[in-house]
Amino acid sequence: MRGSLILRQVLAESSSRIVQPPRIPAPRGDISTPAAFLGAIGRDSAKKLSGPLAGWQEWDDMWKTNGDVLKDAGVAVKDRRYFLWCLEKFRAGGDPSEFAIPAKPKKKVRGWGPKVQHGKRFFAIYYYATGLNAQIFHYNRLLGHIPAKLKPNHHPIRQQQAQSLMSNLDSKFRILLLHSNGLHGLQIPPAPGPSSAQERTAQPPEFNSTLSLGELPRISVTENESQGEQVTLPDGVEYVVVLEDDPKVLKETLNARWSSDVQSTFSQIAKTAGVPLGFGCVVGSAGESHSSHILVLHRTHFQIFGVFTPHSIPHGGAIQFLKRIYRPWGAVHYVGMGPTRGWNVADEHSTPNLAPVPWGFEELETAETIILSWLEYHWQNVPPKVTIDVVIPSYRVQIPLLRSILELTPSPTCSVEFIIVLDDPNSPSIPRLLKDFRSRPDVHILINSENRGASAARNRGLWTSTAEWVHFLDGDIIPNSDLLAESERAIRRHPKAAGFVGNVYFPPPANVATAAIKLSGVTSFWDIADRFKEDVPWGVTGNLVVRRRVQDGISFDLRFPKTGGGEDIDFCLRKTRWSIENGGDGFYGAPEMQAIHPWWNNGGRTYERIFKWAKGDGALMAMFPHFAYSAAAPNGGEVLLCCAIITLVGLTVGPFLDPNLSISIFGAKLFFATIIVHVAFTVHGYLLWGSEEQTAYLSRTLGLDSRLLAVAESALIRMTSEMGRAVGVLQRKEWNQLGRRFDWWAGRVGMEQRMAERELETQTFKLWLIFVVVCVPALFFE
């Protein structure tokens, strides 16, 4: 067809890059001024942003600001990130009363606090915890003197459990119990670096099988006039066992073999990762049930950082944070893993993960900088790996297809973990999935309590991820074996990109239904990376890489249908705008990053799916008005919808006003006339203007009669999509969007595409009018 020829020419010639203007939402309720908005989001934002607020005379001025403007105005990093995050939430339709996060209350005591608090002498003991009223492990033991023994009224049962756990540990180990309000900075003065390579590679002393009982050892507190109070590890202590304060942990025992495995694992880390002995962390599980969360640190960790974790890291996220900072160097190893272990499986009751990680990425960057500097000074330059989390939402839980994704292997310079979000808790395939993959430490399985939809599942996986990049894959694709390697190459070529769009191909059409889907253009954007090398407008989430380590507050908008439709376009356009406004790049095409998507419904017809997609993506016209434009004439779907409305109105009022149902009959005749016109126009265009490439592609599996049927059905698919879009506009009551179209290329191909679309609509509508005026009376009326 002429429209298709013009479109292909435009795609071949266009290489312009358009920076999207800021999107300004309309005021809502009492929030109609910048001051009202700042008051609604709380955290004393009006005072903290008083400088920029003075320059915002109108509502639109506030929405045109960016991070650089706030930075120049002297707004603190946390305040400007929180403000920009609130802007994105408001743009997405959120209510400040729901998404605003109150400020954390000020700490009553800074750090360790003075040695004398409230008139009592303060001593710090090395074991500490408060969860579940475990008072014997309080690190803030406000006593008037150092007791020789713990007081008997301090939960002797928990004391016996702790001593039982200690009795099976090597004397070089000490336990650190995490609790929510406890010590955030266990300060250890850095030791001088090794003086020679021989000293750096020396093996630890032989494992001492002597079991240590006795009292809970304390850490000595020393004073330094310049650095204040510092805490030192007892002599001979090399390892810190970090445990979550859980009764299950205290009931289980760690045998001497487990301790020996930890020491040998640190040696293995040093050998495989090329790092000094003691660098990294060992993650494991205790006891026969393998249900306890355990992380082991070497003294080297405290030599690097001087503290256990930064003060801003809550103990609820300490283990996750420690695993994350050592992951880029491949220095996180797992021991004690058994087939019954399930710490990497979580439902919404045990681990909600419905909010971002409890710490910012600024702490990660700082920690990595410290590690790089320490390695360069004390060891050698060891470059970090690229970290990628593959997020896979799955509703049908198709084990063979999920297995093809989980069997992907990255290069030695890339660290990859998989996050599967199961959106149907009643799927019969879940037990088998858990049996096959729950023992893999790089596979995390999250189970939603109900079907929340594709966007919510991707959001949960995105918020759970702590990697630099997230690779979204659909759970029903078959990736190429080198997919992760190609993803890493793209990241290293363009480290400032907002993300990368891969190609998803469909098998050759095997019947009329699949050929019709191909001809209708529904799959046109699945291989968009073949057409754009840079500044890609958007990509389907079936194979999409996005930058994770940014505080942009962007996630998938839940206003779109559960089954999808428009959420990927909205997500990519907002990601691109934020990245460019903050000095980054947009999306790049990664055509070598490929996957195969089987035909939906096993190659059957999928009109309902296409209708729902279109209902959702029609919302983009109101969300991005600068990419919407007026139509030259009604399209086939809109005409069909009008005919259907006329028919239904006639059936409703017929028994009262029109006993012969002439209105309904007239509407039905117009309905079928519309179908005849669009099918005939499409078949005529294929016979006259169909490309040789298209004909050769279809002739591989279909004969001439089947090809013509497929061409005819493709017109029905397009009208189904257009009708769904019109229905969505009516349901959302977006009356001003009736008769408008969305530029799916987001301005990347100029005005020629819009003109070609308008010309095509005009031709088909004229043909429809001629058919209705001339042919319909002769064929249908007496």
Side-chain angles (χ1 to χ4, degrees):
M1 295 182 292
R2 292 179 58 191
S4 300
L5 292 175
I6 295 174
L7 181 58
R8 284 196 296 271
Q9 293 175 0
V10 172
L11 289 175
E13 298 174 0
S14 175
S15 59
S16 61
R17 176 167 179 165
I18 297 179
V19 177
Q20 305 169 23
R23 179 161 51 90
I24 303 174
R28 293 199 294 269
D30 298 333
I31 305 177
S32 58
T33 64
F37 179 82
L38 294 177
I41 64 177
R43 289 198 172 190
D44 204 13
S45 298
K47 180 179 179 180
K48 295 177 180 179
L49 279 75
S50 58
L53 180 61
W56 295 337
Q57 302 298 327
E58 303 291 339
W59 173 259
D60 293 2
D61 297 337
M62 179 178 67
W63 296 96
K64 296 177 182 179
T65 191
N66 55 41
D68 293 335
V69 174
L70 299 177
K71 182 178 180 181
D72 295 340
V75 181
V77 175
K78 282 188 176 181
D79 296 329
R80 64 175 182 259
R81 286 183 174 178
Y82 176 71
F83 171 71
L84 295 174
W85 178 79
C86 290
L87 289 183
E88 288 298 331
K89 286 292 185 181
F90 192 85
R91 282 193 181 105
D95 187 348
S97 63
E98 297 178 357
F99 65 73
I101 302 175
K104 294 182 180 179
K106 292 184 178 181
K107 294 171 60 177
K108 295 182 179 179
V109 178
R110 296 181 58 190
W112 281 89
K115 283 189 174 183
V116 177
Q117 298 179 11
H118 307 291
K120 295 183 179 181
R121 186 90 175 155
F122 170 88
F123 292 93
I125 64 174
Y126 189 50
Y127 309 95
Y128 63 94
T130 56
L132 302 176
N133 297 321
Q135 298 181 15
I136 62 168
F137 294 114
H138 281 341
Y139 80 98
N140 282 344
R141 185 69 63 198
L142 302 179
L143 299 175
H145 63 283
I146 301 176
K149 296 182 180 180
L150 293 174
K151 289 190 175 182
N153 61 343
H154 285 170
H155 294 271
I157 296 178
R158 293 296 293 274
Q159 179 182 0
Q160 294 172 6
Q161 292 174 351
Q163 289 178 345
S164 174
L165 182 62
M166 279 295 299
S167 66
N168 289 319
L169 283 179
D170 185 88
S171 59
K172 294 190 291 295
F173 286 80
R174 291 295 182 267
I175 296 176
L176 184 65
L177 290 176
L178 298 178
H179 75 83
S180 58
N181 299 316
L183 181 63
H184 290 285
L186 181 60
Q187 299 186 358
I188 311 295
S195 58
S196 65
Q198 181 178 2
E199 183 181 354
R200 290 196 298 258
T201 58
Q203 295 297 314
E206 293 295 328
F207 171 66
N208 184 359
S209 59
T210 303
L211 301 178
S212 175
L213 299 173
E215 299 177 358
L216 302 178
R218 294 174 174 80
I219 296 179
S220 61
V221 179
T222 59
E223 288 190 3
N224 185 294
E225 294 182 359
S226 61
Q227 298 181 2
E229 294 183 348
Q230 292 185 331
V231 184
T232 58
L233 285 175
D235 293 338
V237 174
E238 297 292 329
Y239 302 95
V240 174
V241 182
V242 183
L243 304 177
E244 292 184 346
D245 183 25
D246 191 315
K248 295 180 181 179
V249 179
L250 296 178
K251 291 179 181 178
E252 296 182 354
T253 59
L254 301 177
N255 53 37
R257 179 181 177 184
W258 186 92
S259 304
S260 179
D261 289 343
V262 168
Q263 298 178 80
S264 62
T265 302
F266 271 108
S267 299
Q268 182 183 0
I269 292 175
K271 181 178 179 181
T272 57
V275 294
L277 187 65
F279 181 90
C281 64
V282 175
V283 183
S285 53
E288 296 180 355
S289 64
H290 299 276
S291 60
S292 302
H293 298 218
I294 296 177
L295 183 138
V296 183
L297 295 172
H298 189 266
R299 178 184 285 268
T300 303
H301 172 82
F302 301 100
Q303 294 175 355
I304 297 174
F305 293 100
V307 294
F308 171 55
T309 57
H311 290 275
S312 57
I313 305 298
H315 277 179
I319 290 181
Q320 185 184 24
F321 180 80
L322 292 170
K323 287 166 53 181
R324 177 60 189 85
I325 62 176
Y326 287 116
R327 179 181 167 187
W329 286 271
V332 181
H333 281 215
Y334 297 81
V335 298
M337 300 304 174
T340 59
R341 183 187 60 80
W343 67 268
N344 61 343
V345 180
D347 56 26
E348 291 181 346
H349 299 289
S350 61
T351 307
N353 282 326
L354 296 178
V357 290
W359 32 266
F361 293 106
E362 191 173 288
E363 288 85 354
L364 284 179
E365 294 176 356
T366 302
E368 288 187 2
T369 302
I370 293 173
I371 290 176
L372 281 170
S373 301
W374 187 90
L375 285 173
E376 187 174 357
Y377 179 77
H378 294 284
W379 185 250
Q380 60 184 356
N381 184 20
V382 183
K385 299 181 179 182
V386 172
T387 56
I388 302 174
D389 281 343
V390 180
V391 174
I392 313 161
S394 179
Y395 177 78
R396 289 178 290 274
V397 194
Q398 298 168 288
I399 302 294
L401 296 178
L402 290 175
R403 188 183 302 276
S404 67
I405 298 176
L406 297 178
E407 289 176 349
L408 293 172
T409 56
S411 73
T413 57
C414 182
S415 172
V416 174
E417 293 187 1
F418 300 89
I419 302 173
I420 304 176
V421 185
L422 304 181
D423 205 28
D424 180 12
N426 301 317
S427 173
S429 301
I430 291 180
R432 181 184 169 191
L433 180 71
L434 299 181
K435 178 182 177 181
D436 292 346
F437 298 107
R438 72 184 305 169
S439 61
R440 281 182 50 175
D442 63 330
V443 176
H444 308 273
I445 303 174
L446 310 180
I447 305 175
N448 289 340
S449 59
E450 61 182 359
N451 177 21
R452 300 186 179 277
S455 293
R458 292 190 183 98
N459 282 343
R460 188 179 182 193
L462 178 67
W463 292 334
T464 303
S465 169
T466 57
E468 298 173 281
W469 302 84
V470 167
H471 195 150
F472 290 109
L473 293 177
D474 280 350
D476 53 356
I477 67 165
I478 305 173
N480 281 13
S481 59
D482 62 346
L483 180 76
L484 296 178
E486 294 296 341
S487 176
E488 180 192 356
R489 291 191 188 99
I491 291 171
R492 293 190 181 277
R493 281 196 300 265
H494 305 288
K496 297 177 62 177
F500 305 92
V501 179
N503 281 329
V504 179
Y505 300 105
F506 288 82
N511 52 29
V512 173
T514 53
I517 293 175
K518 182 71 175 179
L519 290 170
S520 67
V522 171
T523 63
S524 297
F525 287 88
W526 290 69
D527 55 359
I528 192 174
D530 285 334
R531 312 175 194 182
F532 290 86
K533 301 304 180 185
E534 60 181 22
D535 197 24
V536 185
W538 59 276
V540 295
T541 48
N543 188 9
L544 180 71
V545 177
V546 298
R547 181 184 293 277
R548 170 68 174 121
R549 194 190 285 183
V550 287
Q551 298 284 14
D552 54 12
I554 296 175
S555 57
F556 290 94
D557 198 322
L558 301 185
R559 287 180 292 178
F560 294 94
K562 286 184 177 182
T563 54
E567 80 287 351
D568 43 10
I569 304 175
D570 166 67
F571 179 81
C572 290
L573 291 179
R574 287 188 289 126
K575 272 279 187 182
T576 297
R577 180 179 59 231
W578 190 94
S579 179
I580 293 176
E581 289 178 353
N582 289 271
D585 300 331
F587 280 84
Y588 285 86
E592 299 84 6
M593 200 168 64
Q594 300 177 1
I596 301 295
H597 194 301
W599 290 108
W600 299 286
N601 198 22
N602 294 323
R605 289 173 172 80
T606 57
Y607 285 90
E608 182 180 3
R609 179 191 298 269
I610 294 171
F611 184 86
K612 290 181 178 179
W613 281 350
K615 279 181 63 178
D617 64 36
L620 295 169
M621 294 183 293
M623 298 172 68
F624 299 92
H626 46 286
F627 291 141
Y629 60 97
S630 299
N635 56 36
E638 293 169 340
V639 174
L640 280 181
L641 181 61
C642 292
C643 296
I645 293 175
I646 293 173
T647 303
L648 292 176
V649 171
L651 291 174
T652 303
V653 304
F656 308 100
L657 303 177
D658 186 16
N660 297 325
L661 300 178
S662 58
I663 296 177
S664 299
I665 294 173
F666 177 72
K669 291 176 179 180
L670 288 178
F671 188 91
F672 288 107
T674 303
I675 294 177
I676 293 172
V677 169
H678 283 79
V679 168
F681 184 82
T682 303
V683 173
H684 177 263
Y686 172 78
L687 294 175
L688 289 185
W689 305 310
S691 65
E692 296 181 0
E693 179 182 357
Q694 191 179 59
T695 302
Y697 178 75
L698 295 177
S699 61
R700 298 176 188 172
T701 54
L702 301 177
L704 178 60
D705 54 344
S706 297
R707 293 202 302 271
L708 292 178
L709 289 175
V711 172
E713 188 171 354
S714 70
L716 299 179
I717 294 175
R718 280 197 298 272
M719 286 188 288
T720 300
S721 177
E722 294 164 350
M723 184 188 297
R725 202 163 288 121
V727 169
V729 169
L730 294 177
Q731 287 184 345
R732 291 185 297 272
K733 299 180 181 180
E734 298 172 346
W735 314 118
N736 59 334
Q737 301 303 324
L738 290 173
R740 291 179 63 79
R741 306 287 182 262
F742 187 76
D743 182 3
W744 308 109
W745 305 98
R748 299 321 195 261
V749 298
M751 296 298 296
E752 289 82 356
Q753 182 269 338
R754 302 184 183 185
M755 296 173 60
E757 185 71 22
R758 291 165 62 91
E759 181 182 355
L760 186 63
E761 290 176 344
T762 303
Q763 292 176 0
T764 54
F765 187 69
K766 287 180 179 178
L767 183 62
W768 179 82
L769 286 177
I770 295 173
F771 185 81
V772 169
V773 173
V774 177
C775 300
V776 170
L779 293 175
F780 296 107
F781 291 97
E782 299 179 353

